[in-house]
Amino acid sequence: GLGERGAKEGTCVFSEYQEKGRGRLGRRWVSPKWKNLILSVLLRPSLSPREVSKITLMIAVSVVKVIKNTTGKTLGIKWPNDIYFKKEKVGGILTEMSAVTDRVRFVVAGIGLNLNSTKPELPPGATSLKIITGIEISRIPFAQGLLRQIEADTLRLKNSGFETLAKEWEEFSIT
């Protein structure tokens, strides 16, 4: 795809809906049209393949911070890649990489967040930010805030190492 063809770090692809999305362990991810946030971000971190899980944790922290900034609600991260409010799933992150023996060439982080789905549109055990807050979430400003936060956290990971992000992850972890 785009990573193989040399697309720049930060390249994003958005989708308006998803019928055959996939999560970890081959699970399905479905999202109705024009309701939620579904995007993939291309990153080119200076990490070894065994360190790539740091990207998933970083993105999860970015997501939870933006949700808190947008809604005032603190959600939790369920190891390694799910975002929860109480016992209901709000979203997930699927990270895939291309690597050579000792370094990562690129990472694609797929992010799916239930922003405005209604209960009938969601599988059992899922919820949305609109259900939690009672307020419609404006998708474009939310996406802009998320991309800014991912950029800031990517720079922190690059310049300061993983320790500060790990502390934030521990703060939000529910496992």
Side-chain angles (χ1 to χ4, degrees):
L2 292 172
E4 298 288 348
R5 292 195 300 264
K8 291 182 182 171
E9 182 170 53
T11 298
C12 293
V13 176
F14 289 85
S15 179
E16 285 291 2
Y17 67 96
Q18 200 160 32
E19 292 175 340
K20 296 177 183 167
R22 63 188 168 88
R24 272 182 74 243
L25 309 174
R27 294 186 181 110
R28 281 185 62 222
W29 183 272
V30 176
S31 182
K33 288 183 181 179
W34 310 301
K35 296 266 181 137
N36 300 315
L37 187 63
I38 307 154
L39 73 140
S40 295
V41 182
L42 179 81
L43 300 172
R44 294 187 181 277
S46 299
L47 297 172
S48 70
R50 62 181 171 68
E51 295 178 297
V52 86
S53 62
K54 292 176 179 178
I55 297 295
T56 305
L57 300 179
M58 180 202 76
I59 300 267
V61 166
S62 300
V63 166
V64 171
K65 289 195 287 194
V66 172
I67 289 172
K68 186 169 187 168
N69 291 344
T70 305
T71 68
K73 302 284 185 190
T74 302
L75 276 67
I77 302 167
K78 183 178 174 189
W79 171 266
N81 66 331
D82 291 332
I83 308 299
Y84 272 76
F85 180 72
K86 297 182 179 170
K87 293 189 185 309
E88 294 184 301
K89 187 172 174 177
V90 173
I93 298 139
L94 183 65
T95 308
E96 298 181 303
M97 74 168 160
S98 171
V100 290
T101 310
D102 58 344
R103 72 175 176 87
V104 172
R105 293 176 57 230
F106 63 87
V107 172
V108 176
I111 305 164
L113 295 171
N114 296 327
L115 298 186
N116 296 307
S117 285
T118 60
K119 265 298 183 198
E121 294 169 320
L122 293 167
T127 191
S128 72
L129 295 183
K130 183 178 179 179
I131 294 166
I132 295 165
T133 64
I135 299 164
E136 178 106 1
I137 305 298
S138 184
R139 294 184 313 146
I140 293 173
F142 187 94
Q144 290 170 326
L146 180 57
L147 292 175
R148 279 190 204 100
Q149 189 64 59
I150 290 170
E151 180 179 42
D153 289 336
T154 300
L155 289 171
R156 280 175 57 208
L157 180 62
K158 195 177 284 184
N159 297 328
S160 309
F162 187 64
E163 290 68 38
T164 57
L165 286 164
K167 282 185 177 69
E168 286 182 317
W169 183 84
E170 285 172 16
E171 224 177 279
F172 297 132
S173 175
I174 58 172
T175 39

